Each structure stands twice: as structure tokens, then as C-alpha cells.
């Protein structure tokens, strides 16, 4: 028996989930399919930072990425209050904001940006007397700038987006994921449109379907670092002399309650096949330089290789916006960064309008399709080591 629906989405990462929740709320009949686990891949590997764009202006000028991102925290906060295009009121934030930790003498153009509030936010320098206790005891000497950037607890965001309509979030066997049309036909599902948001496999699917004309993507590798036990909660960018932080640190609680520092930015900008000891050494040096009071004796380290996939730009820099490629009634989307996800949702909604696909108001029963579980957080799935 045929089951007509408005749209089928492939890939239950943050892009697929946000778009799914937004379209369901608007009255679309949507099926979201995932071949591994909800949030697997780039989403569960995210540090959860909703960037305001300020860290991309460290060179003393506003770039296009900073301009594009500057409005995003307000949209995420509206969703967290239950007032946005999706309802994230059931999600948690790990931190309400982050710090830019700037050693003395490196202020330059950044101070001007903060002073002028060039991005329209509430960024300001925090007096040392108001620093969190752990930061005060860390030995840091310099300026701490409040960034007005929430840090999301990603697992709780996944559940907040999926659970209200969990019956329409289903599994698809790995062997069938590359043949989406066959899978849908086998189950009598007839979508008016399809959206692919599985970043790593999107391009291959488009190529196999003959829908990759004009589509270009790029891979930017990361080797994220993890350190446990973290001495105190820290959510900060350690700012150097370039337009990329030396390290970005977020704090997460493992399943056993152990605090973990998750490390990105320059310390992680290397090949996935690089020696993990290079990450450990770079992170340890950053902590010695910025947080000399932190005792690293007895800590354990791990790495997480990530292949970020997105629309290609000249010079392979991070794109300024999400990428959405359309071939007929089939869409292929990459949000570029977690913070851009609402913008990708806007782009998908606009394309459905152009295709003349309005919400049907139906809610098809997909209980015959296999269920799918949630992804495990990286710090609960890491191979820890104590390098000597």
C-alpha cells in the first residue's frame, strides 16, 4: 500500500534533526532515516559551541564567517526557551557562555572589536575578581573576555529534537543507505521531496544518482584531543597571535561522572592519521603557557579523528554559510558548523516553497520500520592512554 509523504530526510545528525523538527512543527509529514545512530559522526563529535563569530575576528577585522554567525546565538537561545522554529526547551546547556583567554600584550584589534561590540553581542572583559574559581587558581595572566556564546549539551539536544516525534525517526540498514529510493519503494513510501544531510556520504549518493552536477565538497580533517580528569570546568578559547585560537576547551561529564576536557582549534588541526602524541604535546604546551597552575601529572589522553565535510571554497577555507545543493526535488545539505544549523533549515524551507510542497498535515505511521538508538559521546567511547 502506497504511503505518500511530504519529505524523507536521510541522516539524523544535527542538520537532519533540526530540519525534521522544524518541518514537523510546520505540519509537514516527514520521515527521518539514520543508518548508524542518532547524532553519530560529526554531530556527536561537536564541542557544542554556538559561535557568535567573535573568535573568527581575532585578526582585528570582521570576516564574512563572523558576520554570518553573529545572529545565530539568539536563534538558538530562542529555541532553548521553546520560542524558536524548533523546541529545545528539554535540552541542556553545558555553559551559558565562554571566555576568550588573551595573554597580556595580545589585545590589539580584538580589544577594539569587543569595545565597539562590532558583532552586536554582550561581549565584555571580565575583572579577575569575577573569574570562576578554577580559572583564578590556574595561573592565567591576561584578559578574560565574556563571549555570550552558549555551549550545548549535544546528547540532550539530540533527544530534544528527536523524542517528540520519535516514531518518525527510524533506522535504515547500512547496505540500503546508498540506495534510498529502493528502500523507500520497498516500504511503499512516496516522498514528494528528499533531503540528504549525512555529510560524509552525501556527495557519493549524489554522484551515484547522477545529481552531482555543480556540486563540490571538501574534507577538512581534525584530530580532536581529550584529557581526563579535568581539574575544573572550563569553556574557553586560548587566544594566540593568529586568527585561530591555540586551543578551544570545553568540559564534559563522562558516564561515570569524570570531567573531561575536549580540545579543538589549532591543537587539533592536523591529519586524522597524525601521531596522537603530537596532539598531547601541543595541548600540554598550551596549558603550560596559559594555565601554568594546572597539574598535568596523572592525566590520561585520547584523540578523536574527524573528517569535516562541507561545500568547497577557494583555498579550502571554512565556508561562510551552509551549503544546499538541489537536483530536481532532491536536496543535499551541509550546515558547515553546528551554529549554522538554523540557517540551513531556512534554506530547506525556502526550497520546499519553490517546489510547491506545502505541509499536508498528515502524520504517517512508520512503526514497521526498524528503530534507531542514540550515538555514544566520544569521551565514553575513547581509548585512553597515559603517555610518558
Amino acid at each position: 500500500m502506497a504511503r505518500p509523504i511530504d519529505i524523507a530526510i536521510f541522516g539524523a545528525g544535527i542538520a537532519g534533526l533540526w530540519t525534521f523538527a522544524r518541518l514537523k512543527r510546520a505540519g509537514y509529514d516527514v520521515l527521518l532515516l539514520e543508518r548508524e545512530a542518532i547524532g553519530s559522526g560529526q554531530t556527536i563529535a561537536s564541542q557544542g559551541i554556538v559561535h557568535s563569530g567573535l573568535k573568527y575576528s581575532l585578526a582585528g577585522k570582521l570576516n564574512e564567517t563572523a558576520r554570518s554567525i553573529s545572529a545565530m546565538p539568539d536563534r538558538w537561545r530562542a529555541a532553548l526557551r521553546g520560542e524558536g522554529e524548533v523546541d529545545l526547551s528539554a535540552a541542556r546547556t553545558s555553559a551559558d557562555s565562554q571566555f576568550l583567554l588573551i595573554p597580556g600584550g595580545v589585545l590589539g584589534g580584538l580589544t577594539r572589536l569587543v569595545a565597539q561590540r562590532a558583532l552586536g553581542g554582550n561581549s565584555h572583559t571580565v575583572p579577575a575578581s569575577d573569574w570562576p574559581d578554577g580559572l583564578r587558581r590556574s595561573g592565567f595572566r591576561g584578559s578574560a573576555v565574556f563571549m555570550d556564546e552558549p555551549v550545548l549539551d549535544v546528547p540532550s539536544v539530540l533527544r530534544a529534537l528527536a523524542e517528540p516525534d520519535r516514531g518518525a525517526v527510524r533506522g535504515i540498514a547500512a547496505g540500503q543507505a546508498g540506495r534510498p529510493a529502493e528502500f523507500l519503494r520497498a516500504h511503499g513510501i512516496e516522498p514528494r521531496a528528499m533531503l540528504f544531510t549525512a555529510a560524509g556520504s552525501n556527495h557519493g549518493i549524489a554522484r551515484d544518482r547522477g545529481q552531482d552536477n555543480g556540486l563540490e565538497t571538501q574534507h577538512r580533517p581534525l584530530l580532536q584531543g581529550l584529557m581526563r580528569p579535568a581539574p575544573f570546568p572550563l569553556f574557553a578559547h586560548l587566544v594566540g597571535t593568529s586568527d585561530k585560537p591555540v586551543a578551544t576547551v570545553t568540559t564534559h561529564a563522562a558516564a561515570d561522572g569524570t570531567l573531561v576536557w575536549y580540545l579543538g582549534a589549532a591543537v587539533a588541526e592536523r591529519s586524522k592519521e597524525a601521531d596522537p602524541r603530537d596532539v598531547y604535546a601541543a595541548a600540554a604546551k598550551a596549558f603550560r603557557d596559559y594555565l601554568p597552575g594546572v597539574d598535568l601529572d596523572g592525566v590520561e589522553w585520547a584523540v578523536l579523528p574527524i573528517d569535516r565535510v562541507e561545500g568547497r571554497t577557494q583555498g579550502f577555507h571554512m565556508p561562510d554559510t551552509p551549503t544546499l545543493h538541489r537536483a530536481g526535488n532532491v536536496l543535499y545539505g551541509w550546515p558547515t558548523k553546528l551554529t549554522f544549523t538554523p540557517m540551513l533549515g531556512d534554506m530547506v524551507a525556502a526550497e520546499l516553497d519553490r517546489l510547491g510542497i506545502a505541509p499536508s498535515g498528515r502524520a504517517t505511521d512508520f512503526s514497521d520500520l526498524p528503530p534507531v538508538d542514540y550515538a555514544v559521546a566520544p569521551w565514553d567511547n575513547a581509548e585512553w592512554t597515559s603517555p610518558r
Side-chain angles (χ1 to χ4, degrees):
M1 181 177 178
R3 289 186 282 183
I5 66 172
D6 296 327
I7 183 170
I9 302 175
F10 293 83
I14 189 62
L17 283 165
W18 181 288
T19 306
F20 167 78
R22 173 174 174 163
L23 295 180
K24 287 289 288 185
R25 202 173 197 188
Y28 284 89
D29 192 9
V30 191
L31 169 62
L32 176 58
L33 291 165
E34 170 59 47
R35 70 175 180 176
E36 294 180 10
I38 297 170
S40 62
Q42 292 179 217
T43 295
I44 199 65
S46 167
Q47 291 185 279
I49 301 167
V50 179
H51 291 289
S52 67
L54 186 57
K55 81 163 191 173
Y56 297 107
S57 301
L58 301 184
K61 61 182 179 181
L62 283 171
N63 60 25
E64 289 307 310
T65 300
R67 295 180 195 279
S68 299
I69 288 179
S70 61
M72 291 297 103
D74 286 343
R75 292 188 65 177
W76 282 92
R77 285 196 172 97
L80 290 164
R81 294 192 302 268
E83 300 170 359
E85 58 264 34
V86 303
D87 184 357
L88 289 181
S89 57
R92 299 186 301 275
T93 54
S94 299
D96 293 331
S97 65
Q98 292 191 99
F99 287 114
L100 284 178
L101 298 184
I102 310 167
V106 189
L107 295 175
L110 178 61
T111 299
R112 292 194 298 274
L113 283 175
V114 174
Q116 297 166 5
R117 296 187 179 181
L119 295 173
N122 296 318
S123 300
H124 59 271
T125 301
V126 179
S129 58
D130 293 336
W131 291 357
D133 184 59
L135 183 59
R136 285 202 304 271
R137 292 185 286 105
S138 71
F140 174 68
R141 296 291 180 267
S143 297
V145 176
F146 173 90
M147 296 189 68
D148 198 25
E149 293 184 347
V151 181
L152 306 174
D153 175 73
V154 172
S156 73
V157 171
L158 301 178
R159 291 181 180 275
L161 292 171
E163 285 300 319
D165 296 289
R166 185 65 185 277
V169 183
R170 312 306 289 180
I172 179 173
Q176 297 173 304
R179 300 189 299 275
E182 293 179 22
F183 176 84
L184 295 174
R185 279 197 301 270
H187 293 278
I189 299 167
E190 299 177 349
R192 298 183 65 193
M194 291 194 294
L195 168 65
F196 292 89
T197 63
S201 57
N202 271 6
H203 201 157
I205 293 171
R207 183 175 56 248
D208 292 344
R209 293 173 59 86
Q211 296 176 329
D212 61 332
N213 184 36
L215 174 61
E216 292 188 87
T217 56
Q218 63 190 28
H219 295 235
R220 292 189 299 127
L222 277 179
L223 195 59
Q224 299 266 146
L226 300 99
M227 188 193 88
R228 74 175 187 187
F232 55 86
L234 180 64
F235 298 87
H237 301 290
L238 310 184
V239 177
T241 55
S242 74
D243 60 355
K244 185 180 293 296
V246 172
T248 293
V249 184
T250 53
T251 308
H252 309 267
D256 64 2
T258 303
L259 287 186
V260 177
W261 277 356
Y262 192 29
L263 314 171
V267 299
E269 295 277 353
R270 60 191 76 235
S271 165
K272 296 187 301 178
E273 293 75 30
D275 190 332
R277 291 172 296 184
D278 294 342
V279 177
Y280 310 153
K285 182 180 186 306
F287 295 149
R288 287 195 301 270
D289 291 345
Y290 286 77
L291 311 171
V294 170
D295 184 2
L296 298 180
D297 288 343
V299 301
E300 294 183 302
W301 300 88
V303 293
L304 178 69
I306 304 170
D307 204 7
R308 296 170 295 179
V309 185
E310 61 210 9
R312 179 175 292 180
T313 59
Q314 186 174 5
F316 291 88
H317 300 298
M318 188 185 78
D320 298 325
T321 64
T323 297
L324 188 65
H325 173 76
R326 181 163 75 88
N329 67 340
V330 182
L331 308 173
Y332 298 87
W334 293 262
T336 299
K337 293 191 73 64
L338 178 142
T339 193
F340 277 146
T341 302
M343 194 182 298
L344 180 63
D346 294 343
M347 296 164 72
V348 171
E351 288 297 334
L352 292 180
D353 285 343
R354 292 189 187 97
L355 290 166
I357 300 175
S360 66
R362 294 189 302 267
T364 297
D365 180 6
F366 299 112
S367 59
D368 59 305
L369 301 182
V372 62
D373 208 344
Y374 290 93
V376 176
W379 36 92
D380 290 321
N381 205 25
E383 295 184 9
W384 296 95
T385 185
S386 299
R388 293 289 184 264

